[in-house]
């Protein structure tokens, strides 16, 4: 009996209540857990939001007896990145996160205890415990919860945290324990759509006036769009309930089918333009508004798949947020929280080695001109595999993996510090220019996809957006780097221009393509996370895919087949509840 448990030792940590009979001597269980160290070795290739999230989720499900090495060839954060302009940091990657992204919300809550402290606790800084004039229940309620969170974060007991606090007789040490992330203050701004000659749609400060303008120009198309997006997002939100009950899917199609049936799978094959026409959205609205939003989001046309377009349009409706200090801090925070071993090296190959008892994968890498390798039970590829993409060779796999299909679309981000040329958009007096962002319609001669006034990643209390007559920092997205003439068209003058070229999103197939979505399971113990981007590319999708891969690896490791690829989960969960 005990020997069976030793063959799958991780069960003892994660599911000991279910596996060990109540009559088993407590001494045996305690002795085993005390003497066991790392029982599973996992490698994660890529430290973007997908790689960082899957590292956290692996640690969450497998427990502390898993050792995770994270390989990153460039920078932690991947496409979540910042750069410095005039001594301030600005987002140059994905600038904002949708409020319905529950995993990212949880990450910030987990990493941002100081943002969640009550005013009572914050006011207690520098004051000895004996002198605190706070309501007893309020202070000790917050303090107890904070001590419990700190204990989980630093893997020590609540008593040790409490002892540290009492020895110091102040909250200094406690606050050092719990410094973390919080939501960044968002500054309101208005948008407009530009057709290359003039503005075709302008947002105002009055909500009812905005609705009237949309109705006047496009009829009820905007209402049909809103209902369509809300329906898609409502079905997408089911994934959080599935994952909360530890259900996983071995294919992207299976995951999508569980959310919205075959209709969701078909949304990866049908264009957003065609889908919107099918529900009665006018062609003019698609040409003027939808094309501009999709171009600003993905740099591509309305021929992108409908599911991708729905994600983009959900973000355009607002309810976006970002992280104080930069969205990339979520990635570094998760890696620090899990105490993962981050190896700054480029992975060159993953080779399968069969032993008598299990598969082992050798991860070969290059670090500062030196070759190295290590062996793992699990390998998760959290970097794009595509033509001209991450050059990883997969060796000794039977059957061998097919060559990656497709490519990623290039988007150029130009961060410009200068004076906007408002007259190009029809405002000769820059003081009258009211917009913080301009979206460009999808026209052949369009100079840019979008132009947006940026705020620093650390917004001070008195910060305000600079008006166009003052020098400000702008982000210009375009298909290619802007030449000097184009820069002079958009800006009267500028101090600096920093250009970042991203292989940001898949080059999505045109409507009617029957190309299958990439697999999640490449081989037993070898998983591919970024294939989900071909269904929809967003921070939300990366976090969801990371949770699914972690659950899939966990359930397959312990042969929990009842938790994999279950049909009609909504009905099943309602029945269980």
């Amino acid at each position: 009996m005990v020997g069976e448990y030793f063959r799958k030792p991780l069960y003892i940590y994660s599911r000991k209540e279910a596996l060990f009979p109540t009559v088993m001597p407590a001494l045996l269980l305690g002795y085993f857990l005390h003497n066991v160290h790392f029982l599973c070795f996992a490698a994660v290739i890529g430290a973007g939001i997908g790689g960082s999230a899957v590292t956290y989720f692996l640690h969450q499900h497998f427990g502390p007896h898993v050792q995770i090495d994270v390989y990153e060839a460039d920078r932690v954060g991947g496409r979540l990145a910042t750069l410095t302009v005039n001594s301030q940091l600005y987002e140059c990657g994905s600038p904002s996160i949708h409020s319905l992204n529950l995993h990212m919300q949880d990450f910030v809550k987990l990493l941002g205890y100081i943002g969640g402290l009550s005013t009572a606790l914050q006011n207690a800084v520098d004051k000895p415990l004996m002198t605190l004039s706070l309501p007893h229940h309020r202070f000790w309620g917050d303090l107890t919860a904070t001590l419990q969170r700190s204990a989980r974060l630093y893997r020590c007991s609540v008593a040790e945290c409490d002892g540290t606090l009492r020895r110091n007789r102040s909250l200094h040490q406690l606050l050092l324990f719990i410094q973390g992330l919080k939501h960044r203050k968002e500054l309101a701004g208005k948008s407009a759509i530009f057709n290359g000659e003039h503005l075709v749609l302008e947002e105002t400060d009055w909500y009812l006036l905005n609705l009237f303008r949309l109705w006047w120009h496009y009829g009820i198309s905007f209402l049909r769009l809103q209902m369509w997006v809300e329906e898609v997002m409502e079905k997408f939100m089911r994934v959080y309930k599935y994952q909360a009950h530890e259900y996983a899917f071995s294919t992207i199609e299976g995951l999508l089918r569980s959310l919205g049936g075959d209709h969701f799978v078909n949304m990866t094959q049908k264009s957003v333009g065609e889908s919107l026409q099918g529900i009665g959205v006018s062609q003019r609205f698609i040409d003027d508004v939808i094309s501009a939003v999709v171009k600003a989001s993905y740099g591509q046309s309305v021929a992108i798949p409908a599911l991708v377009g729905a994600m983009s349009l959900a973000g355009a409706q607002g309810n976006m947020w970002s992280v104080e200090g930069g969205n990339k801090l979520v990635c570094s925070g998760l890696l620090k929280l899990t105490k993962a071993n981050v190896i700054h090296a480029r992975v060159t190959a993953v080779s399968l080695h069969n032993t008598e008892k299990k598969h082992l994968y050798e991860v070969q890498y290059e670090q500062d001109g030196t070759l190295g390798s290590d062996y793992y039970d699990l390998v998760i590829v959290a970097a794009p595999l595509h033509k001209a993409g991450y050059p990883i060779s997969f060796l000794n796999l039977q059957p061998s993996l097919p060559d990656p299909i497709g490519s990623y679309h290039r988007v150029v981000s130009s961060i410009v510090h200068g004076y906007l040329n408002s007259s190009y958009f029809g405002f000769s007096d820059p003081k009258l220019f009211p917009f913080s962002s301009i979206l460009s319609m999808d026209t052949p001669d369009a100079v840019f996809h979008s132009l947006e006034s940026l705020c620093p990643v650390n917004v001070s209390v008195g910060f305000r957006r600079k008006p166009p007559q003052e020098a400000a920092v702008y982000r210009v997205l375009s298909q290619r780097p802007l030449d000097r003439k184009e820069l002079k068209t958009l800006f009267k003058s500028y101090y600096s221009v920093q250009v970042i070229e991203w292989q940001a999103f898949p080059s999505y197939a045109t409507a009617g393509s029957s190309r299958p979505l990439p697999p999640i399971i490449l081989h037993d113990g070898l998983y591919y996370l970024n294939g989900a981007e071909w269904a929809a590319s967003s921070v939300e999708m990366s976090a969801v895919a990371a949770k699914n891969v972690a659950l899939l690896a966990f359930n397959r490791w312990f042969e929990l087949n009842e938790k994999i690829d279950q049909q009609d989960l909504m009905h099943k969960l309602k029945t269980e509840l």
Side-chain angles (χ1 to χ4, degrees), residues 395-563:
L395 309 176
N396 302 332
L397 299 183
Q398 294 297 330
S400 59
L401 297 180
D403 293 332
I405 299 175
S407 60
Y408 268 50
H409 187 78
R410 183 179 74 161
V411 174
V412 178
S413 178
S414 301
I415 309 299
V416 183
H417 180 208
Y419 296 86
L420 185 69
N421 181 16
S422 60
S423 61
Y424 179 66
F425 302 104
F427 289 79
S428 56
D429 186 353
K431 294 181 181 179
L432 301 178
F433 186 82
F435 307 110
S436 61
S437 64
I438 302 291
L439 309 183
S440 176
M441 289 173 55
D442 187 13
T443 58
D445 55 349
V447 175
F448 63 95
H449 302 331
S450 66
L451 185 152
E452 179 185 7
S453 171
L454 294 181
C455 297
V457 297
N458 295 294
V459 178
S460 58
V461 175
F463 182 85
R464 62 177 179 84
R465 287 187 186 273
K466 292 186 177 181
Q469 67 266 27
E470 298 181 22
V473 177
Y474 297 86
R475 185 182 66 158
V476 184
L477 296 181
S478 58
Q479 191 69 38
R480 53 177 177 76
L482 301 175
D483 58 31
R484 183 176 178 82
K485 180 180 178 181
E486 291 166 335
L487 285 169
K488 294 297 289 184
T489 298
L490 297 175
F491 298 92
K492 291 182 178 179
S493 62
Y494 51 87
Y495 295 107
S496 65
V497 179
Q498 299 184 54
V499 179
I500 304 97
E501 295 192 25
W502 302 94
Q503 296 291 320
F505 312 105
S507 291
Y508 292 105
T510 57
S513 172
S514 59
R515 185 169 61 195
L517 295 170
I520 296 176
I521 301 174
L522 302 180
H523 199 269
D524 187 21
L526 177 62
Y527 302 92
Y528 181 37
L529 189 152
N530 282 58
E533 288 190 299
W534 290 91
S537 182
S538 65
V539 175
E540 294 97 308
M541 199 64 179
S542 294
V544 166
K547 179 74 168 181
N548 181 68
V549 167
L551 284 171
L552 184 61
F554 178 82
N555 293 335
R556 282 169 59 88
W557 181 275
F558 294 121
E559 300 176 2
L560 301 176
N561 296 325
E562 70 279 5
K563 291 289 188 177

Side-chain angles (χ1 to χ4, degrees), residues 325-442:
N327 296 330
K328 68 177 184 180
L329 295 182
V330 173
C331 301
S332 57
L334 291 176
L335 295 178
K336 291 178 181 177
L337 178 65
T338 57
K339 297 186 177 180
N341 178 31
V342 179
I343 302 171
H344 291 278
R346 183 176 66 87
V347 173
T348 57
V350 176
S351 179
L352 175 64
H353 294 265
N354 290 311
T355 65
E356 293 182 0
K357 296 182 179 180
K358 60 181 179 179
H359 297 307
L360 278 180
Y361 290 96
E362 180 185 9
V363 174
Q364 303 171 23
Y365 58 90
E366 180 183 353
Q367 184 179 37
D368 298 326
T370 304
L371 300 179
S373 67
D374 213 333
Y375 291 87
Y376 301 93
D377 304 296
L378 300 174
V379 175
I380 296 173
V381 181
L385 298 175
H386 60 277
K387 291 180 179 178
Y390 214 101
I392 301 177
S393 299
F394 294 93
L395 309 176
N396 302 332
L397 299 183
Q398 294 297 330
S400 59
L401 297 180
D403 293 332
I405 299 175
S407 60
Y408 268 50
H409 187 78
R410 183 179 74 161
V411 174
V412 178
S413 178
S414 301
I415 309 299
V416 183
H417 180 208
Y419 296 86
L420 185 69
N421 181 16
S422 60
S423 61
Y424 179 66
F425 302 104
F427 289 79
S428 56
D429 186 353
K431 294 181 181 179
L432 301 178
F433 186 82
F435 307 110
S436 61
S437 64
I438 302 291
L439 309 183
S440 176
M441 289 173 55
D442 187 13

Side-chain angles (χ1 to χ4, degrees), residues 228-293:
W228 181 75
V229 171
E230 287 179 354
E231 180 185 0
V232 172
M233 295 308 296
E234 182 181 356
K235 291 179 179 178
F236 180 81
M237 294 294 290
R238 294 174 179 176
V239 73
Y240 296 108
K241 179 175 288 188
Y242 299 162
Q243 293 183 342
H245 288 81
E246 299 186 353
Y247 288 100
F249 299 89
S250 60
T251 65
I252 300 172
E253 290 89 348
L255 172 61
L256 296 178
R257 193 169 284 110
S258 73
L259 301 177
D262 290 334
H263 173 65
F264 252 44
V265 178
N266 293 336
M267 288 182 70
T268 66
Q269 311 293 340
K270 192 176 183 180
S271 76
V272 63
E274 184 182 356
S275 296
L276 291 178
Q277 283 182 323
I279 62 170
V281 175
S282 68
Q283 187 62 49
R284 183 185 177 191
F285 188 68
I286 293 173
D287 292 340
D288 288 2
V289 180
I290 306 301
S291 68
V293 172

Side-chain angles (χ1 to χ4, degrees), residues 95-281:
S96 53
I97 303 162
H98 199 279
S99 60
L100 295 181
N101 186 346
L102 301 188
H103 289 321
M104 289 295 289
Q105 294 273 16
D106 289 343
F107 293 157
V108 173
K109 290 177 183 177
L110 179 71
L111 299 170
Y113 302 134
I114 192 139
L117 288 178
S118 69
T119 304
L121 274 176
Q122 294 189 46
N123 291 339
V125 179
D126 296 326
K127 295 181 181 180
L129 287 178
M130 297 299 293
T131 65
L132 290 175
S133 57
L134 298 169
H136 179 80
H137 67 278
R138 180 182 180 185
F139 174 72
W140 287 111
D142 285 339
L143 182 59
T144 301
T146 303
L147 287 171
Q148 291 172 345
R149 295 191 201 118
S150 300
R152 289 197 299 268
L153 177 62
Y154 288 91
R155 299 180 186 173
C156 59
S157 66
V158 173
E160 288 174 317
C161 290
D162 183 60
T164 299
L165 177 63
R166 293 178 185 279
R167 284 194 302 272
N168 285 275
R169 305 294 293 174
S170 75
L171 293 179
H172 268 131
Q173 190 69 30
L174 178 61
L175 293 179
L176 289 175
F177 263 64
I178 56 179
Q179 287 180 8
L181 304 184
K182 59 182 178 180
H183 286 212
R184 186 191 314 163
K185 177 185 176 183
E186 290 295 326
L187 299 179
K190 295 186 286 293
S191 301
I193 296 178
F194 184 63
N195 69 356
E197 296 180 356
H198 59 272
L199 299 178
V200 298
L201 189 64
E202 302 177 26
E203 186 181 9
T204 72
D205 290 322
W206 295 277
Y207 175 72
L208 291 179
L209 179 57
N210 292 332
L211 292 182
F212 176 78
R213 286 185 172 183
L214 286 171
W215 172 80
W216 181 261
H217 290 289
Y218 308 108
I220 62 172
S221 289
F222 72 97
L223 292 176
R224 289 172 172 160
L225 170 69
Q226 185 172 358
M227 290 188 292
W228 181 75
V229 171
E230 287 179 354
E231 180 185 0
V232 172
M233 295 308 296
E234 182 181 356
K235 291 179 179 178
F236 180 81
M237 294 294 290
R238 294 174 179 176
V239 73
Y240 296 108
K241 179 175 288 188
Y242 299 162
Q243 293 183 342
H245 288 81
E246 299 186 353
Y247 288 100
F249 299 89
S250 60
T251 65
I252 300 172
E253 290 89 348
L255 172 61
L256 296 178
R257 193 169 284 110
S258 73
L259 301 177
D262 290 334
H263 173 65
F264 252 44
V265 178
N266 293 336
M267 288 182 70
T268 66
Q269 311 293 340
K270 192 176 183 180
S271 76
V272 63
E274 184 182 356
S275 296
L276 291 178
Q277 283 182 323
I279 62 170
V281 175

